[in-house]
Amino acid sequence: MKLHEYQSKELLGKNGMPIMPGRVAASAAEVPEIVEEIGLPVVLKAQVHVGGRGKAGGVRVVGSMEDVVPTAEKILGLTIKGLPVKKLLVTRACDIAKEFYFGVIFDREKRACTMILSGEGGVDIEETAKENPEAILKITSDTRGKIYDFQVRRAAAAMGVPRELHNQFIKLALALYDMFVDMDLTLLEINPLVVTDEGNLVLVDAKIITDDNAMYRRKEIKEFERADPENPDEVKAKEYGLSYVKLDGNVGCIVNGAGLAMATMDMVKHFGGEPANFLDIGGSSNTEKMKQAMKLILSDKNVKSILINIFGGITRCDDVAAGFIGALRSENIDRPVFIRLSGTNEEIAREMLEKENISADTRMEDAVKKAVAVK
Amino acid sequence: MGILIDENTKVLIQGITGRDGSFHLARMIEYGTNVVGGVTPGKGGQAIDGVPVFDTVEDCVKETGANTSIIFVAAPFAPGAIRESLFNDVPLVICITEGIPVKDMIEINQRLREGGSRLVGPNCPGLVTVGKSKVGIMPGHIFEPGPVGIISRSGTLTYEVASELSHAGAGQTTVIGIGGDPIIGTTFIDVLEMFENDPDTKVVVMVGEIGGTDEERAAEYIKTMSKPVVAFISGRTAPKGKRMGHAGAIISGGVGTAESKIEALEAAGAPVAGLVSELVDKVKERID
């Protein structure tokens, strides 16, 4: 899960990292109180999950009290790359003597964690990687999952951290690395990490992505998601053990298994349809999941037909049928449904459906073609 | 022949008393798999379907001589279950469980590098050597004996492919799902090499998906193979930056696109089918 900047900073602050004081606001009226608390000048920053906020006018420095509310209103009225700005972070501005890039990622290729550092902070790191690759330094964790101080010291010198700040920088870099590991993060990006005029290190912008699989032991992060979901439907789906991604088409898809679900989307498209979603009902069998999946798809007004594609393995077809019949009783299913069933307990499931006068295809292509034909 | 498992495989089930463990115990026995024991901490001494249950893997291996473990333990406890089998030098460990955090898998991967055991998965359907042994959750009736070896990152899509191939008369040697997570114990290249060396496998089917670069790496290996490989990539229409269910299936930072995988595989001489029916045709052409 992607955290908002204000959530990332809350987490960093709780872990003792140097951030400027600040708080999030959902309306312009809340902002003056925060400004009085932290003092001028402040930076108002739109909280949306896209890059290029600054260029879009979503980040503004305010130096006087009378400009606070109008500027906040302006930012809260913005839509940046299709996303309306609903919250803004009010933070104390800090002077900047030098900017660095600092990041830690889960490195899939190396099956380890990699720290990424650059003397060219504040700009898009992917641009730097393309145009000036030697400006980027990488340190990959060893077989024990460790990164050591001498490695960071070498990087600090190479990226131009002032010598008198080396020890402070190394301590901070390793503390951030530990936090990355301890909190089950897959990305921790600080851009820029700043040296102030007084010679202090401050984390000015922060981006965190967490490992969804570790949420069961990261209650504090799960709380962020509940409090401010990026997509409420996707979060709700997750609670029922469904993996759901909303798309723009009109063929609602309910499938077991991610690979088959993607292949189903691909096939819908191949036959001229547009999938309304990706929905994997997951590995283990459960009638309630199927019912919730139907509810979710029915709530999407763009959906014109519903395609259920099940190849039972660990998921048993009879559980799926029971869930579907349950939905039949409790929901108003007002759009055509096409079912394909194969695999574990297929015969039992067919019998159950036949009693309700519902037939199911055996082959995926047949069901997909029917679902796509509905206009 | 086939690879990794056969009639001499003696299976132990970790999590044998759970809903999924006990259900698939019965399905595996039905298939003819030699299930010799199970482990559920605190439930040792019982028997399920005539199979003895032990408290620890160590006891189970000592008593039964099990040489392969299959794990059905819930995600928070699955890393512990994998470690237990690795510490007891079980040669082949298959983890069905999905949802294991990356941090745990980084650590487990370090131990695997030290050698000894092979891990298949996690988040995989297991494997079947057709007509001999099934150590997994796939429905047994969809497989027919024949000359095709199948490797897949997916579960149910593997069933789809196997079942269509069987219908078309293209049976299989071994069918293996290697799992949809970013860190897995056994990769495409490992299995391609085994199929290359298996005398009964004539054609290899590789089912990949978006995310990571394992397919691209596999393409490099395919260039050196003598046997024909036919591929399928799912997620061609998936949007960037959205995780498609599998923890590994995400296009991020321009890496992991279907286009890049298709290009690499085609360049290596492995045609990539867009539909399962197309895949079946391509496989049949290569058998005949």
Side-chain angles (χ1 to χ4, degrees), chain A residues 109 211 256 266 340 363, chain B residues 102 156 160 164 213 217 237:
Chain A
E109 296 301 304
D211 180 357
N256 69 317
D266 295 347
R340 176 283 174 104
R363 303 191 62 207
Chain B
V102 163
T156 50
E160 184 71 43
E164 291 293 306
T213 54
R217 289 191 198 186
T237 59

Side-chain angles (χ1 to χ4, degrees), chain B:
Chain B
M1 282 283 287
I3 61 166
L4 286 167
I5 57 168
D6 57 24
E7 58 273 28
N8 300 317
T9 301
K10 291 170 148 186
V11 177
L12 83 87
I13 300 177
Q14 289 178 265
I16 191 167
T17 56
R19 187 181 193 257
D20 293 328
S22 56
F23 180 82
H24 287 283
L25 161 68
R27 300 287 92 72
M28 283 190 266
I29 291 174
E30 197 178 284
Y31 194 80
T33 306
N34 186 14
V35 183
V36 296
V39 174
T40 298
K43 299 206 171 161
Q46 314 179 1
I48 299 181
D49 291 344
V51 173
V53 180
F54 299 86
D55 285 323
T56 65
V57 169
E58 189 180 348
D59 291 344
C60 183
V61 169
K62 242 182 229 162
E63 292 291 322
T64 66
N67 56 19
T68 296
S69 169
I70 179 166
I71 296 171
F72 287 98
V73 176
F77 310 103
I82 297 173
R83 278 184 213 110
E84 192 180 352
S85 268
L86 299 184
F87 273 75
N88 284 286
D89 294 319
V90 177
L92 181 61
V93 183
I94 294 136
C95 184
I96 304 299
T97 309
E98 65 178 311
I100 298 179
V102 163
K103 185 160 87 177
D104 297 276
M105 283 312 299
I106 290 178
E107 191 203 315
I108 285 167
N109 185 57
Q110 291 306 337
R111 185 165 175 100
L112 287 169
R113 283 185 189 175
E114 289 160 20
S117 306
R118 168 172 296 287
L119 173 70
V120 175
N123 191 11
C124 80
L127 68 161
V128 57
T129 292
V130 182
K132 290 176 182 165
S133 185
K134 181 182 94 162
V135 188
I137 57 173
M138 49 274 267
H141 72 270
I142 61 173
F143 305 104
E144 295 289 341
V148 183
I150 305 180
I151 327 162
S152 171
R153 250 169 91 181
S154 150
T156 50
L157 182 55
T158 318
Y159 314 159
E160 184 71 43
V161 168
S163 139
E164 291 293 306
L165 283 169
S166 293
H167 271 294
Q172 306 89 37
T173 49
T174 296
V175 178
I176 174 170
I178 57 175
D181 279 3
I183 298 183
I184 47 178
T186 296
T187 62
F188 281 128
I189 293 180
D190 298 327
V191 183
L192 285 169
E193 199 174 347
M194 291 180 225
F195 278 135
E196 173 75 359
N197 296 322
D198 172 39
D200 291 342
T201 302
K202 306 288 179 226
V203 180
V204 183
V205 168
M206 181 179 134
V207 182
E209 63 189 29
I210 54 160
T213 54
D214 283 0
E215 288 80 0
E216 287 87 335
R217 289 191 198 186
E220 287 303 310
Y221 181 78
I222 289 170
K223 286 181 187 164
T224 69
M225 286 174 68
S226 66
K227 293 178 184 173
V229 178
V230 179
F232 185 91
I233 301 291
S234 66
R236 289 167 184 248
T237 59
K240 287 194 172 106
K242 287 278 190 180
R243 186 185 127 175
M244 295 286 122
H246 281 164
I250 181 164
I251 301 169
S252 49
V255 173
T257 63
E259 293 76 20
S260 131
K261 291 168 194 302
I262 292 166
E263 196 181 309
L265 287 162
E266 300 257 355
V272 184
L275 293 176
V276 176
S277 54
E278 207 183 296
L279 177 89
V280 171
D281 293 342
K282 289 184 192 298
V283 171
K284 290 211 70 173
E285 282 166 25
R286 281 157 182 82
I287 294 175
D288 301 334

Side-chain angles (χ1 to χ4, degrees), chain A residues 55-289:
Chain A
K55 279 182 200 150
V59 179
R60 283 165 193 267
V61 181
V62 180
S64 70
M65 208 58 199
E66 56 266 31
D67 290 339
V68 165
V69 170
T71 312
E73 277 171 349
K74 224 177 261 168
I75 294 176
L76 283 166
L78 289 174
T79 298
I80 303 177
K81 294 183 185 165
L83 295 176
V85 179
K86 290 179 187 152
K87 288 185 177 173
L88 54 83
L89 175 63
V90 186
T91 181
R92 178 73 192 265
C94 86
D95 53 75
I96 296 172
K98 196 155 173 38
E99 293 180 301
F100 299 105
Y101 175 93
F102 176 92
V104 188
I105 54 157
F106 158 57
D107 192 331
R108 189 169 171 167
E109 296 301 304
K110 299 201 167 85
R111 302 181 170 199
C113 304
T114 295
M115 189 185 283
I116 303 170
L117 305 122
S118 175
E120 301 191 6
V123 290
D124 187 348
I125 193 72
E126 286 184 23
E127 292 280 307
T128 312
K130 253 183 253 160
E131 284 159 21
N132 192 9
E134 62 275 20
I136 293 176
L137 305 159
K138 290 184 179 175
I139 308 171
T140 298
S141 60
D142 72 356
T143 56
R144 295 282 153 246
K146 298 273 186 207
I147 285 177
Y148 301 93
D149 54 358
F150 67 89
Q151 293 176 296
V152 183
R153 186 177 302 278
R154 216 175 57 183
M159 64 200 271
V161 175
R163 175 164 290 219
E164 63 277 14
L165 289 176
H166 276 192
N167 285 343
Q168 197 187 333
F169 181 82
I170 294 163
K171 208 173 145 200
L172 176 59
L174 292 177
L176 287 166
Y177 178 75
D178 285 344
M179 181 181 151
F180 174 89
V181 174
D182 291 346
M183 311 219 72
D184 282 297
L185 309 183
T186 57
L187 172 80
L188 168 60
E189 187 180 70
I190 310 294
N191 189 24
L193 188 164
V194 155
V195 181
T196 64
D197 292 342
E198 300 81 43
N200 293 315
L201 295 172
V202 177
L203 315 180
V204 167
D205 196 0
K207 196 189 214 173
I208 286 177
I209 302 177
T210 63
D211 180 357
D212 283 353
N213 285 347
M215 286 304 104
Y216 74 87
R217 61 188 180 202
R218 296 280 89 89
K219 300 269 179 327
E220 69 279 35
I221 292 171
K222 215 173 159 162
E223 201 41 54
F224 284 139
E225 185 167 62
R226 205 190 316 271
D228 194 354
E230 188 184 352
N231 181 325
D233 282 342
E234 290 177 13
V235 173
K236 210 165 112 198
K238 219 188 275 177
E239 267 169 37
Y240 291 107
L242 307 168
S243 170
Y244 174 76
V245 177
K246 170 103 181 67
L247 302 168
D248 298 330
N250 49 32
V251 180
C253 302
I254 300 176
V255 189
N256 69 317
L260 187 62
M262 283 189 278
T264 305
M265 286 162 49
D266 295 347
M267 194 186 265
V268 164
K269 191 123 177 170
H270 178 88
F271 288 115
E274 281 293 337
N277 62 277
F278 166 94
L279 200 166
D280 171 12
I281 61 169
S284 203
S285 231
N286 178 335
T287 56
E288 188 57 28
K289 269 191 190 177

